[in-house]
Amino acid sequence: MSEQTLQVFINGVVNYFQHTSDKEVKVGTPYLIENSAPSAFDYTGIIGVSGPYRGTVYFTAPKALLTHLLLALGEKDTSIDNILDLVGEVANTISGNARSEFGQEFMISVPVVVEGAPSGIHLPKHLRSYVIPVYWKAYSAAVVICLEN
Amino acid sequence: MAKPLKMLIVDDSNIIRRKIERGHDATKFEVVGSASSGKEAVEKFQSLNPDVVTMDLTMPQMDGIECISRLVALKPEVRILVVSALSDKATGIAALEKGAQGFLCKPFDDQKLSVALNELVG
């Protein structure tokens, strides 16, 4: 995957958090992991990608970050249902925004949300994933990109 | 003062539906209902008869593009604001061709929502 491709998703993460009441977000240096040991926090929103790129984009975050993010968005209901909704919506927004660079052939699915890590259903074992670390307030999260073309 | 326009919010995310509910100008719009899929939106549209619809695009059962066509067929004068993360120009043009009148890209804040809704009915 090219540096430019990764940058599209990095821009998407930064753009997302800049629309919250606490805009200070930092993105770490991306690194590669094996799909047999996916990177995951408490909750994960997964987007399937098809078209010129095929694979998965997911956003994974601890419960505390998602709770705080709900409040930063003005949402007082921090129930698990809303936390799951939010982690899927962040994944959807970052992936959807990527179409401004990749075009309409970059097709994305509705989000699938899970507790913990994506399963083998979502991640092809023969590929590796790029992890983009995300630091917001005192929390760590990640956007993980597993795409082939 | 003019009567508020009846608004239907369509998005599969509860958080986004509530964000639009909180962020709209209540003097201009009255939220009469919400739907979490295109299919549910068509059903509610027929009973609620809204003047304005905010429409997500990526949704289960029936996506926003198809839903726009269905709603415009039912009520050609309805004003539809697409609220979507799909930020490419082609998607925006496709929505406009189906009958939407405005496009607001996610993520958005209350100010952007207000501007987009005002332009929609302005």
Side-chain angles (χ1 to χ4, degrees):
Chain A
M1 191 183 308
S2 70
E3 189 179 334
Q4 289 91 337
T5 301
L6 276 176
Q7 191 62 47
V8 169
F9 293 99
I10 291 170
N11 293 345
V13 176
V14 172
N15 185 43
Y16 187 90
F17 281 91
Q18 284 184 341
H19 282 78
T20 69
S21 62
D22 193 332
K23 305 176 194 308
E24 290 299 318
V25 62
K26 290 181 181 170
V27 174
T29 304
Y31 58 91
L32 272 168
I33 56 166
E34 300 294 333
N35 281 353
S36 54
S39 177
F41 294 93
D42 299 334
Y43 296 99
T44 300
I46 307 158
I47 302 292
V49 175
S50 57
Y53 289 97
R54 294 174 304 281
T56 300
V57 174
Y58 64 91
F59 175 71
T60 183
K63 183 181 178 185
L65 180 149
L66 295 165
T67 302
H68 211 137
L69 185 52
L70 279 172
L71 297 170
L73 293 168
E75 177 56 64
K76 292 175 182 165
D77 179 353
T78 58
S79 64
I80 294 298
D81 281 351
N82 266 0
I83 283 173
L84 288 167
D85 187 339
L86 177 61
V87 81
E89 186 61 20
V90 176
N92 170 256
T93 303
I94 292 168
S95 304
N97 285 182
R99 294 220 323 189
S100 65
E101 292 293 329
F102 301 143
Q104 63 178 329
E105 289 79 22
F106 184 83
M107 301 295 291
I108 65 170
S109 73
V110 295
V112 173
V113 292
V114 297
E115 196 166 348
S119 69
I121 297 168
H122 307 106
L123 297 175
K125 289 286 182 289
H126 67 287
L127 295 178
R128 293 192 293 175
S129 297
Y130 280 93
V131 179
I132 303 170
V134 177
Y135 306 108
W136 183 70
K137 292 183 172 290
Y139 312 112
S140 298
V143 175
V144 185
I145 319 291
C146 177
L147 296 176
E148 60 180 339
N149 61 351
Chain B
M1 184 184 288
K3 198 175 170 184
L5 296 166
K6 292 195 290 181
M7 184 162 77
L8 176 68
I9 300 170
V10 185
D11 202 299
D12 62 344
S13 165
N14 180 48
I15 292 164
I16 297 297
R17 293 197 303 273
R18 287 168 59 115
K19 185 174 173 62
I20 295 170
E21 280 176 16
R22 286 193 305 271
H24 78 278
D25 181 348
T27 63
K28 291 186 177 176
F29 304 97
E30 177 197 2
V31 177
V32 293
S34 62
S36 59
S37 71
K39 183 171 177 285
E40 186 184 0
V42 172
E43 290 165 5
K44 290 200 171 178
F45 188 86
Q46 293 175 89
S47 59
L48 299 170
N49 190 31
D51 308 298
V52 173
V53 176
T54 71
M55 177 69 67
D56 190 13
L57 293 181
T58 308
M59 293 184 292
Q61 293 183 304
M62 181 194 297
D63 68 18
I65 294 289
E66 184 180 348
C67 187
I68 291 168
S69 297
R70 301 275 189 102
L71 300 192
V72 170
L74 289 167
K75 185 176 180 179
E77 68 272 27
V78 66
R79 311 294 288 181
I80 299 176
L81 174 67
V82 173
V83 182
S84 173
L86 302 180
S87 55
D88 59 301
K89 286 180 184 172
T91 298
I93 290 167
L96 296 175
E97 284 176 347
K98 294 291 183 185
Q101 287 86 12
F103 198 104
L104 175 62
C105 190
K106 296 178 184 176
F108 61 90
D109 54 27
D110 288 349
Q111 187 182 1
K112 285 184 178 174
L113 174 67
S114 178
V115 168
L117 282 171
N118 283 329
E119 284 180 353
L120 185 75
V121 299

